[in-house]
Amino acid sequence: MTSLAAELSAIASAAFAAEGLPAKFGQVQASDRRDLAQFQCNGALAAAKEVRANPRQIAQKVADRLKADPLFAKVEIAGPGFINLDVTDSALAERAGAMIGDERLGAPEAGRGKTLVIDFGGPNVAKPMHVGHLRSAIIGDCLQRLFRANAWTVVSDVHLGDWGLQMGQLISEIGRRGVAPVYFDADFKGPYPEDSPVTMEDLEEIYPAAAAACKADPARLEEARRATAELQAGRPGYAALWRHFVKVSERGLTREYSSLGIAFDLWNGEASVDPLIPPMVDDLKRRGLAVESEGALVVEVAEPDDKKEMPPLLLLKSDGAVLYGTTDLATIVDRVRNYDPDLVLYVVDQRQHGHFEQVFRAARKAQLNGRALLEHAGFGTMNGADGKPFKTRAGGVMKLYDLIAMTTDEAQKRLAEAGIAGDYPEEERNDIARKVGIAALKFADLSNYRLTDYIFDLARFTRFEGKTGPYLQYAAVRTQSILRKAEDEGFAAAAPVVRSPEERALVLQLLGLPGAMEAAEDKRAPNILCEYAFELAQSFSRFYAEHHILSEPDTGLRAARLGLCRLTVDTLAKVLGLLGIEIPQRM
Ligand code: ARG
């Protein structure tokens, strides 16, 4: 199924070509003045510039050809040469009917045959997840769902931070506390215990203590550095202890992510590419790409027309330790080898943009990226009311777990205020509150363009009116309940008809789904999907306010309107699904 805009573009392109003009000027898009027309083609202006002719004359010739096509109810020229287009109601209804019969609802197939590796989440072993990790998870998950829906083969990787100095800090702190001496006994021949000597809660206490000690005392920092170097060199006791940290953290993190409905294909970490580093470094040295600089080994990545200074990528420190950029570079080698991706997308805080620029340049310079485009899809911060990155009232990092609990509480309050689910069994009400809370959190995050910062305002996010997740969930549930009642009455649904302005607007919005999915993919911008879903819900509510559905006495009309309800529910469910938002059975 091709989208209506694509269909119209093909027709207009043919008209341009028939006038001896490049077909590319026939691009048709949804009009940004819906009050004037449904669609517009602005190509005459650009074409006129290219062939040095009068834009209105070109527009006139193209318009004359379009007028011959019965698909159009209106072809008009506006201003200096815009072509405004309306499609006939019967053509709209016919396409809506076809959409009902299409399981994919016309979703684009831009990704057919292409592979995406998407790197998001990025939590660190033992360090608590903070709101930056939350944004990465929510945006990254939406993008993985969207690319999959657009027919890409998608491999998502959490890229666990499990190889840095924090590992040595934990090890040396545990060594000092003497809680697990066998891991420090150089003469111990193994095997090491199966069970971890520390729990997730222990790690959450040990890590900040260790980090504080290292900050206060250079000797402690040196000790932690040594432990890190020994771990990375493969000291058996440290490696065994490290495996426990990773396992314990993974278990906790999986629980947190799944409470948000987020899953990853791969749980690889920085450490997993460690074996690839020595051969990669040797190869870069041999090719003269890695060079000594002040005792360290670096890859120069500055380019002649850089406006800002671009420092070299640090591969190995003077003590031989590897860095964040080193593991990222080796991870590219690994991903290219295993998946040969067309695109690798990094959904990481925009403040790391410089880091990714260095890594990508180094990868391209050394041709380590295969055919993959490397791209950083950054995001801004979620701020508190004070405009600074969101913290708990006590000033600490807000843990995901607590954040979800807080959101669920707020959702409970809102449900009670709105008189929703009050008489449902408690278990169901709690489940609805959890879903509403998560929808509020996700939608608030996704509806802002990802690079803009926004303020965390739970009272606003959880409202049932306005541009919120709960409003959309409620709209979906209500529409669904119309269909359920129709089923109880034995009323059938049929292909939609288009007769009124509200029906026309709703069908146009429904037919705009592929365009929204395409634009959201192109810009890596979930806010386009949020906007689409909101407009859809609004178009539906205007339609609902003006038409009888269950009470419509004309059987044919009733069936056609139920068809529109069906298509609306399916489309809304699809888009909310892309946003990672669940729809309760009832509300
Ligand atoms: N662990 C990192 C952090 O907490 C994020 C990792 C992002 N992904 C990457 N390939 N560098 O900042």
Side-chain angles (χ1 to χ4, degrees):
M1 207 182 139
T2 43
S3 74
L4 181 52
E7 199 183 329
L8 301 182
S9 295
I11 295 170
S13 297
F16 273 91
E19 290 300 329
L21 296 162
K24 64 174 182 198
F25 293 122
Q27 205 59 39
V28 172
Q29 66 208 54
S31 167
D32 36 56
R33 286 288 305 275
R34 285 284 172 95
D35 51 328
L36 298 181
Q38 297 168 352
F39 294 93
Q40 64 188 63
C41 173
N42 305 340
L45 286 98
K49 215 177 224 167
E50 197 169 295
V51 302
R52 305 224 172 117
N54 179 327
R56 257 195 99 94
Q57 266 167 16
I58 293 183
Q60 191 59 56
K61 285 185 192 157
V62 171
D64 286 343
R65 288 187 182 271
L66 297 180
K67 278 180 192 154
D69 194 315
L71 185 58
F72 296 109
K74 180 178 91 181
V75 179
E76 261 174 23
I77 299 170
F82 300 111
I83 305 174
N84 284 338
L85 301 165
D86 277 357
V87 171
T88 63
D89 286 346
S90 60
L92 290 179
E94 196 185 305
R95 277 148 192 85
M99 192 173 167
I100 291 187
D102 177 13
E103 217 175 65
R104 306 182 71 249
L105 299 174
E109 312 224 10
R112 187 76 62 217
K114 291 200 273 187
T115 299
L116 163 73
V117 171
I118 182 166
D119 179 316
F120 72 97
N124 301 305
V125 165
K127 286 199 220 173
M129 273 206 259
H130 54 71
V131 293
H133 296 114
L134 175 72
R135 287 213 75 186
S136 175
I138 292 176
I139 299 168
D141 184 50
C142 175
L143 292 176
Q144 77 163 331
R145 290 167 186 263
L146 172 66
F147 276 77
R148 254 185 211 121
N150 288 353
W152 286 73
T153 298
V154 176
V155 182
S156 56
D157 180 8
V158 73
H159 199 72
L160 200 60
D162 59 358
W163 211 224
L165 178 67
Q166 81 261 30
M167 295 300 119
Q169 289 176 316
L170 284 173
I171 292 172
S172 63
E173 178 71 20
I174 291 171
R176 279 178 168 258
R177 294 187 183 191
V179 287
V182 314
Y183 297 94
F184 297 85
D185 178 353
D187 298 325
F188 184 73
K189 292 281 169 293
Y192 291 96
E194 291 262 331
D195 288 334
S196 174
V198 285
T199 64
M200 190 68 204
E201 290 71 44
D202 294 335
L203 290 177
E204 280 173 7
E205 179 267 316
I206 296 171
Y207 173 71
C214 289
K215 205 167 168 194
D217 180 358
R220 288 289 297 267
L221 182 61
E222 191 41 45
E223 199 179 299
R225 284 222 175 95
R226 222 176 311 119
T228 311
E230 281 184 83
L231 166 69
Q232 295 185 352
R235 179 170 161 164
Y238 288 7
L241 199 49
W242 172 83
R243 275 194 294 276
H244 286 309
F245 299 158
V246 173
K247 235 202 236 143
V248 162
S249 293
E250 266 185 25
R251 216 176 298 133
L253 290 166
T254 308
R255 205 179 325 118
E256 296 215 64
Y257 283 123
S258 61
S259 69
L260 284 170
I262 296 174
F264 297 88
D265 299 314
L266 302 175
W267 274 83
N268 287 347
E270 296 170 357
S272 68
V273 296
D274 195 57
L276 301 182
I277 292 176
M280 177 182 83
V281 169
D282 285 346
D283 170 57
L284 293 176
K285 272 203 233 163
R286 202 168 24 87
R287 291 197 277 149
L289 294 166
V291 293
E292 296 274 338
S293 168
E294 294 166 33
L297 194 68
V298 305
V299 180
E300 294 290 350
V301 294
E303 285 164 11
D305 39 340
D306 281 341
K307 299 220 167 39
K308 268 198 303 196
E309 194 197 331
M310 184 49 73
L313 180 78
L314 222 56
L315 278 184
L316 297 180
K317 285 205 289 195
S318 47
D319 64 0
V322 305
L323 291 119
Y324 187 39
T326 327
T327 52
D328 262 326
L329 202 57
T331 304
I332 292 174
V333 173
D334 186 50
R335 288 171 176 164
V336 167
R337 201 172 285 172
N338 287 323
Y339 305 104
D340 190 20
D342 296 271
L343 174 65
V344 186
L345 209 51
Y346 296 78
V347 185
V348 185
D349 194 319
Q350 183 64 10
R351 286 172 293 186
Q352 295 194 27
H353 192 70
H355 161 78
F356 285 111
E357 187 58 31
Q358 287 176 304
V359 171
F360 297 169
R361 284 187 182 195
R364 289 193 292 258
K365 189 172 177 186
Q367 293 170 312
L368 298 177
N369 59 320
R371 58 202 180 99
L373 186 73
L374 305 171
E375 188 183 319
H376 175 214
F379 51 81
T381 49
M382 175 171 114
N383 293 327
D386 59 357
K388 299 206 187 94
F390 185 74
K391 296 246 162 72
T392 60
R393 233 172 256 163
V397 276
M398 173 64 89
K399 284 198 233 144
L400 210 50
Y401 180 85
D402 296 327
L403 189 66
I404 294 174
M406 209 167 109
T407 316
T408 308
D409 283 351
E410 187 76 15
Q412 288 278 21
K413 259 195 261 166
R414 287 302 160 126
L415 287 168
E417 272 168 26
I420 299 173
D423 53 350
Y424 294 178
E426 192 181 329
E427 200 181 322
E428 184 179 358
R429 194 167 58 238
N430 291 341
D431 184 58
I432 294 174
R434 192 185 54 79
K435 286 182 175 141
V436 166
I438 288 174
L441 207 57
K442 287 187 176 179
F443 193 86
D445 193 293
L446 296 171
S447 58
N448 289 288
Y449 176 57
R450 65 181 155 75
L451 283 167
T452 37
D453 299 343
Y454 69 97
I455 290 180
F456 182 76
D457 179 352
L458 212 43
R460 192 164 62 79
F461 298 172
T462 51
R463 288 173 48 162
F464 280 100
E465 316 85 46
K467 212 181 275 185
T468 68
Y471 164 72
L472 292 170
Q473 278 177 317
Y474 196 55
V477 169
R478 264 193 350 208
T479 316
Q480 179 70 56
S481 85
I482 301 172
L483 290 170
R484 214 172 286 136
K485 282 193 199 119
E487 208 175 335
D488 292 346
E489 300 280 341
F491 295 163
V497 291
V498 177
R499 305 200 314 190
S500 67
E502 294 80 21
E503 284 169 333
R504 201 170 294 127
L506 176 56
V507 166
L508 276 167
Q509 183 64 20
L510 288 164
L511 294 176
L513 176 71
M517 289 174 73
E518 222 165 73
E521 175 188 317
D522 282 352
K523 300 202 165 61
R524 291 69 164 113
N527 61 304
I528 294 176
L529 298 174
C530 294
E531 204 58 47
Y532 175 84
F534 181 66
E535 276 170 27
L536 177 58
Q538 290 217 306
S539 308
F540 182 80
S541 91
R542 284 191 284 262
F543 158 75
Y544 186 68
E546 294 298 324
H547 297 78
H548 292 283
I549 299 178
L550 296 172
S551 54
E552 170 59 53
D554 181 318
T555 340
L557 266 187
R558 187 174 60 217
R561 288 185 187 146
L562 284 170
L564 262 185
C565 291
R566 167 89 274 150
L567 199 50
T568 301
V569 169
D570 290 350
T571 306
L572 203 50
K574 172 148 190 152
V575 182
L576 291 181
L578 295 176
L579 299 174
I581 291 177
E582 283 181 88
I583 302 171
Q585 280 291 326
R586 56 174 190 165
M587 275 171 93

